C-alpha cells in the first residue's frame, strides 16, 4: 500500500494507487481508509524500533481531510512526540503534505 521514501522525525511515504484496497475504497475516487493510515503509522514505528507493536489505545484520531493516492501520492508523517515509558510507546503526530493536514493522531502501543 505504501513505500517509505525517507525516515527521521518526519517520514515521507509514497502511496501505491494501484493497491487493491483503493479498488474497493472507493472505485473511481479512491481514498485511503483510516484504518490503513493507522496501520502505516504502526508499521513505520515497528520498523523504527525493530519490534512488533500492539495498539493499546487510540486517545485521539482526527481525519481532517480525505487522502487520495492520485491527488497526493506522497505524504509526510511527522512524529511530534514519541515517549517510551514502562513498555509503552505514546505517539503523537500528523499526516500532512505541504500545508494540507490529513490526519492528527495520538496513539498508545505496547
Amino acid at each position: 500500500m505504501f513505500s517509505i521514501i525517507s525516515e527521521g522525525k518526519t517520514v515521507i511515504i509514497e502511496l501505491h494507487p494501484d493497491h487493491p484496497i483503493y479498488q474497493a475504497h472507493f472505485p473511481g475516487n479512491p481514498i485511503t481508509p483510516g484504518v490503513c493510515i493507522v496501520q502505516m503509522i504502526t508499521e513505520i514505528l515497528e520498523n523504527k524500533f525493530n519490534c512488533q507493536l500492539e495498539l493499546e489505545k487510540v486517545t485521539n484520531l482526527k481525519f481532517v481531510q480525505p487522502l487520495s493516492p492520485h491527488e497526493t501520492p506522497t505524504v509526510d508523517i511527522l512524529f511530534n512526540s514519541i515517549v517510551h515509558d514502562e513498555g509503552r510507546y505514546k505517539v503523537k503526530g500528523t499526516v500532512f503534505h505541504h500545508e494540507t493536514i490529513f490526519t492528527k493522531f495520538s496513539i498508545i502501543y505496547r
Side-chain angles (χ1 to χ4, degrees):
M1 163 153 222
F2 74 101
S3 301
I4 296 174
I5 296 174
S6 171
E7 284 192 78
K9 185 175 179 180
T10 300
V11 177
I12 301 170
I13 64 169
E14 178 181 23
L15 300 173
H16 298 172
D18 56 339
H19 190 278
I21 194 73
Y22 291 119
Q23 294 171 10
H25 202 265
F26 296 97
N29 187 25
I31 62 168
T32 307
V35 69
C36 291
I37 294 172
V38 173
Q39 184 62 34
M40 289 187 288
I41 293 165
T42 303
E43 289 180 24
I44 290 166
L45 292 170
E46 287 178 337
N47 186 47
K48 183 179 191 76
F49 299 125
N50 196 30
C51 68
Q52 187 172 2
L53 297 174
E54 182 179 331
L55 191 140
E56 180 177 299
K57 183 177 182 180
V58 176
T59 56
N60 191 13
L61 188 58
K62 293 184 181 176
F63 300 106
V64 180
Q65 188 88 347
L67 177 54
S68 166
H70 292 297
E71 293 175 16
T72 313
T74 61
V75 293
D76 301 79
I77 300 178
L78 171 63
F79 294 98
N80 295 327
S81 170
I82 299 175
V83 176
H84 186 211
D85 183 33
E86 297 181 14
R88 290 188 168 92
Y89 291 92
K90 297 176 182 179
V91 182
K92 293 182 182 182
T94 307
V95 179
F96 69 98
H97 183 71
H98 298 297
E99 288 80 36
T100 304
I101 295 173
F102 297 100
T103 306
K104 294 181 179 184
F105 60 89
S106 295
I107 303 172
I108 300 173
Y109 295 95
R110 56 184 150 135

